[in-house]
Amino acid sequence: MATTPASSAFSFSFTFFLLLSFKTANGDVIKVQQQQLHFHTVQLSSLFPSDSCDVSPSSSETQDLNKLPVFHKHGPCAQAQQLTRSTNNHKPTADEILRQDESRVQTIQSRSRKAAAAAGGDVMVTDSTTIPAKDGSTVGSGNYIVTVGLGTPARQLSLIFDTGSDVTWTQCQPCVRSCYQQQEKIFDPSSSASYRNVSCSAASCSALSSATGNTPGCSSSTCVYGIQYGDSSFSVGFFGTEKLTLTSTDVFDNFFFGCGQNNQGNFGGAAGLLGLGRDKLSLVSQTAQKYNKLFSYCLPSSSSGTGFLTFGGAATKSVKYTPISSIAGGSNFYGLDITAISVGGRKLSVSATVFSTAGAIIDSGTVITRLPPAAYSALRSAFRQQMSRYPLGQALSILDTCYDLSKYKTVSVPKVGFLFAGGTEVDIEAVGILYANSPSQVCLAFAGNGDASDIGILGNVQQQTLEVVYDGAGGRVGFASGGCS
Ligand SMILES: *[C@@H]1O[C@H](CO)[C@@H](O)[C@H](O)[C@H]1NC(C)=O
């Protein structure tokens, strides 16, 4: 192979460029620099979690910012907290994860179709009203865990946090019907001085209809909530109020939550769920006086890392914002307007209407980003073209573009960028482009929707290591790179 002195330092990338260009040495240098700009150089090993928990310094030493550490529910950090050790909570395979993900997505999409139908019909839909046609099941249960305190004295509970649902709940004694196995002791309202039942006639009880999609029940004048998730998990129980302790300085009295008496499903040993959606019963709305509906998180780059969830502010200064679009998916979701996608620095030739027809949301609980079919096929062909030096491997469930990288230590991966309304450009980190099942099956971590009208979803694989800021009062969502560090 012929190399010039100037390009020898970049010989790895240069090899690739010889395949595409036959320019002079000078032209090659420029192209090599562009290559550096538009490609990630990825250590293959960095795509796999380690067996032990890497606690990042930011999540443990920044008490002043009130950051709650965030773990993946199946990773070693959750294990360190003894969440997944029980025999019931086996570590799911990639196939199982992607199948559960698909059922969450199906639920979100059916909910959003109904919301769209309601908006187009006689029913007025505003940000705060109930969507009458809403599905009775909410989305699958999400993947990331934080620990909060509940009751007096405060009991520590690890909950899955979810921007795609609203009601916070935990399993409660006496587990009248059934509780699944969780690692922490199950919350017992009778040993808390601050627990109160909500009565059936309370306004907050009626508010459950819009928050859960289910009409609340009534049992000896106590309000009964029920939530089903798309993956057929559910929680049913008494609706109550409690003292919620997020951090030592951030304590909320009379926080509405579900005290689950019949719980089943796929919660990975977590004690319940923290609802961060936009409905008025969500944690975000209930704490609006203090935090002004502002929160942010960073999801760690692997299941062995830690991130954070914080309320009332953003940790990073250089956050780029785009407006929340309120129609997409119904008023409980955080809607986004995607306007374009680039691969390796080149904008895909997909018309903006492809994105606007479907609309999109951002969701902490969906794993793989879903795109309109035309957008996904353009992304896939651009990606395949720019990855053509690597051998294709076997498809993995919904992921149809996989590579056998078992012979490589380092790979050069085209950058993927999203352009949002307002001109906001967000580069997806390398860990958000590839979903690695094994070195011989490393896949493009995006999928196409079945129908052009299905809503797009920015999933949590793509959000990894970005700080994502939800500014509900300001009506905007923001992104900052390098968020977990
Ligand atoms: C809450 O209501 C349920 C059902 O009526 C009842 O069994 C339970 O004892 C009540 N708890 C409190 C603390 O009042």
Side-chain angles (χ1 to χ4, degrees), residues 224-239:
V224 174
Y225 75 94
I227 310 172
Q228 306 127 258
Y229 300 90
D231 55 4
S232 73
S233 306
F234 63 81
S235 175
V236 180
F238 303 124
F239 201 43

Side-chain angles (χ1 to χ4, degrees), residues 174 176 189-190 192 195-198 219-224 238-239:
V176 175
S190 72
S192 167
Y195 179 82
R196 300 284 177 275
N197 278 334
V198 168
S219 164
S220 7
S221 76
T222 297
C223 180
V224 174
F238 303 124
F239 201 43

Side-chain angles (χ1 to χ4, degrees), residues 341 343 348-350 354-355 371-385 400-401 444 446-449:
I341 295 176
V343 176
L348 301 177
S349 62
V350 174
V354 166
F355 297 108
L371 296 172
Y376 177 67
S377 67
L379 169 69
R380 176 180 56 192
S381 52
F383 189 82
R384 284 191 176 199
Q385 194 186 8
D400 64 10
T401 296
L444 174 63
F446 293 83
N449 282 329

Side-chain angles (χ1 to χ4, degrees), residues 290-334:
K290 185 171 176 76
Y291 299 136
N292 209 17
K293 299 193 179 181
L294 184 61
F295 68 98
S296 77
Y297 59 68
C298 181
L299 306 178
S301 63
S302 80
S303 61
S304 58
T306 48
F308 65 81
L309 171 67
T310 189
F311 293 93
T316 318
K317 293 269 183 296
S318 53
V319 181
K320 297 188 274 187
Y321 289 95
T322 182
I324 295 174
S325 71
S326 46
I327 295 161
S331 55
N332 296 5
F333 289 123
Y334 296 90

Side-chain angles (χ1 to χ4, degrees), residues 58-114:
S58 71
S59 56
S60 53
E61 284 167 14
T62 46
Q63 292 302 331
D64 51 323
L65 277 170
N66 286 334
K67 286 180 175 174
L68 308 173
V70 163
F71 307 111
H72 195 278
K73 76 174 171 187
H74 297 299
C77 296
Q79 261 165 16
Q81 302 201 319
Q82 303 197 314
L83 280 171
T84 58
R85 254 186 226 158
S86 79
T87 45
N88 268 6
N89 294 313
H90 86 109
K91 200 169 173 236
T93 65
D95 255 323
E96 287 167 329
I97 290 170
L98 296 173
R99 203 164 43 240
Q100 282 158 14
D101 194 43
E102 187 58 16
S103 68
R104 179 180 177 100
V105 166
Q106 299 282 334
T107 312
I108 291 175
Q109 291 179 339
S110 104
R111 234 170 96 175
S112 91
R113 269 192 294 276
K114 289 178 183 173

